[in-house]
Amino acid sequence: MVEIIGVRFKEGSKVYYFDPDGKKLEQDALVIVETARGIECGTVVIANKEVEDDKVIYPLKKLIRIATKEDIEKIEQNRAKEKNAFKVCQEKIVVHELPMNLVDVEYTFDNSKILFYFTADGRLDFRSLVKDLASVFHTRIEMRQIGVRDEAKMLGGIGICGRPFCCKQFLENFQPVSIKMAKEQGLSLSPVKISGTCGRLMCCLQYEQDVYTDLLKKTPKIGAIVNTPDGKGVVTEINIISGNIKVHLDKSPEGICHLYKVEQVKTLKDAQIRVDKKELEELKGLE
C-alpha cells in the first residue's frame, strides 16, 4: 500500500496521484506539484489515502508545497494573461487567414509555456502563427488541435436535459458512443434528440448502456413471438425502463394490442435490434 493524494488541474479533468510527502491535506486545498508539463497548481480532490501499489504509476512525484498567498496571486495573474493571449491569438489567426477556431488559452503555472487549444477541419500548417506568437510572448508556444467533444468539455454549458454537461462535471475520459446504443435504448434516431450540443452522440448513452443491456436480457424485443396469459402474439412496442410491453395477439382483430408486464410473458422466439445501413449512413457523422 502507498499513501497518495488525488489532484485535479481542471474541472471535470482526470485525477492524478501524488506523494503527499508526509503532509496531511484536505479536499479543495490548492497544492503545487511537478507534472510532465512542468510545475503546476492543482486542487486536492482526494485527501490522504492509502491505495494498492498496482493502482499507482511510478515514479510517484512528491508534493512540492501547499499553495501560498503568492502562488494564488500568480494564478490570478495567469488568468488575466490568458485573456490577453486569447485576444492576441485571435487577431493573429485573422492576419494569417487560418481556418481555425480558438477555444481556450492556458498558461502553465511557471509561465514556461502557453497552450492554445483550437478546432479545425483537417490539419493546418500553423508554423508561421507559432513564430508570430513566440515573438510577442517570448516563451514556448504549443498549439493543440482538439475535437468538438473536447471543446464542449472546456467551455461547458447546459445540455438538452437541463443539466450542466456531463463531460464538464464528471466525465474524465470520453468513451466510444454508437448509434446501436441509441437504438437499444429505444430512442428516436433523430439527430436532434440523440446528439449533444457538440453535435456528437450524447455521452450519457454510453454510461447508461450497461443498465439497458441488463434489462434487454429480460425484455423481448419488438417483433419477438411471445406467449401471454391471453395467448400467443407478437411484441409491437416495449418500454425497457417500466417493463411494459404491448403485444398484438394472434386472435385479436388487426391493430388492437394488449399491455403486459415483462414478467407476464414468455419469449418463444426473440427478435434482434439492428441498425440498418441506411440509418448508419444518415447518422455516421454523429459518432
Side-chain angles (χ1 to χ4, degrees):
M1 302 289 284
V2 59
E3 186 179 23
I4 59 91
I5 54 170
V7 178
R8 179 175 278 153
F9 298 99
K10 279 192 172 185
E11 183 183 1
S13 63
K14 186 177 178 180
V15 176
Y16 296 89
Y17 289 165
F18 292 89
D19 180 347
D21 196 25
K23 294 182 176 63
K24 293 295 180 183
L25 294 147
E26 297 181 354
Q27 278 191 347
D28 298 326
L30 292 176
V31 293
I32 307 299
V33 292
E34 182 183 354
T35 72
R37 296 195 325 184
I39 305 300
E40 292 286 0
C41 181
T43 304
V44 175
V45 292
I46 301 175
N48 296 62
K49 176 183 176 181
E50 287 195 345
V51 298
E52 296 175 358
D53 288 349
D54 59 2
K55 293 185 178 180
V56 175
I57 298 175
Y58 289 95
L60 193 63
K61 295 288 182 71
K62 288 187 177 184
L63 168 76
I64 295 176
R65 64 179 178 273
I66 298 172
T68 63
K69 182 181 177 181
E70 290 74 20
D71 291 329
I72 295 171
E73 288 176 354
K74 187 171 185 178
I75 293 167
E76 292 173 351
Q77 291 169 4
N78 285 351
R79 298 296 87 86
K81 289 179 181 179
E82 287 167 358
K83 291 180 181 179
N84 178 60
F86 191 98
K87 181 181 178 181
V88 171
C89 186
Q90 280 188 315
E91 293 171 352
K92 298 296 183 182
I93 288 170
V94 173
V95 171
H96 291 276
E97 298 182 342
L98 290 168
M100 59 195 292
N101 175 45
L102 186 62
V103 176
D104 197 15
V105 178
E106 181 183 357
Y107 266 79
T108 57
F109 177 75
D110 57 6
N111 285 191
S112 62
K113 185 194 301 183
I114 312 175
L115 297 98
F116 294 86
Y117 299 91
F118 70 94
T119 58
D121 294 329
R123 299 185 65 179
L124 295 178
D125 182 356
F126 45 71
R127 287 174 293 184
S128 58
L129 173 63
V130 170
K131 289 179 181 178
D132 207 351
L133 292 172
S135 67
V136 173
F137 298 107
H138 305 289
T139 189
R140 283 184 61 197
I141 303 296
E142 184 173 322
M143 306 296 296
R144 287 193 181 180
Q145 186 168 356
I146 61 174
V148 289
R149 280 195 169 105
D150 297 297
E151 180 181 14
K153 184 178 180 70
M154 282 186 171
L155 299 179
I158 303 297
I160 59 174
C161 58
R163 294 180 59 84
F165 293 164
C166 299
C167 58
K168 181 70 172 178
Q169 281 193 300
F170 60 86
L171 288 183
E172 294 184 359
N173 299 300
F174 291 109
Q175 300 294 328
V177 188
S178 68
I179 299 297
K180 187 180 179 184
M181 290 178 182
K183 190 102 174 184
E184 289 180 342
Q185 293 176 27
L187 300 175
S188 164
L189 294 190
S190 164
V192 176
K193 294 184 177 181
I194 60 175
S195 59
T197 307
C198 62
R200 297 291 188 269
L201 290 173
M202 294 185 294
C203 293
C204 55
L205 295 178
Q206 198 282 330
Y207 63 77
E208 291 178 354
Q209 180 64 17
D210 288 346
V211 174
Y212 283 93
T213 299
D214 184 58
L215 291 173
L216 281 169
K217 292 176 183 176
K218 312 166 189 174
T219 309
K221 320 297 185 297
I222 293 176
I225 300 172
V226 297
N227 201 17
T228 76
D230 303 309
K232 194 167 68 171
V234 178
V235 176
T236 60
E237 187 179 324
I238 64 174
N239 187 315
I240 301 173
I241 301 299
S242 69
N244 292 328
I245 64 173
K246 286 186 178 180
V247 180
H248 179 255
L249 299 176
D250 293 349
K251 64 181 182 182
S252 295
E254 186 176 352
I256 297 179
C257 296
H258 297 258
L259 185 66
Y260 300 95
K261 283 289 186 181
V262 170
E263 298 80 13
Q264 293 179 287
V265 304
K266 181 180 180 181
T267 304
L268 301 177
K269 184 180 179 182
D270 207 356
Q272 289 187 328
I273 297 176
R274 298 181 184 276
V275 183
D276 61 43
K277 290 183 178 179
K278 184 179 179 181
E279 289 174 326
L280 282 174
E281 187 63 29
E282 290 175 349
L283 301 170
K284 65 180 182 180
L286 298 181
E287 292 189 340

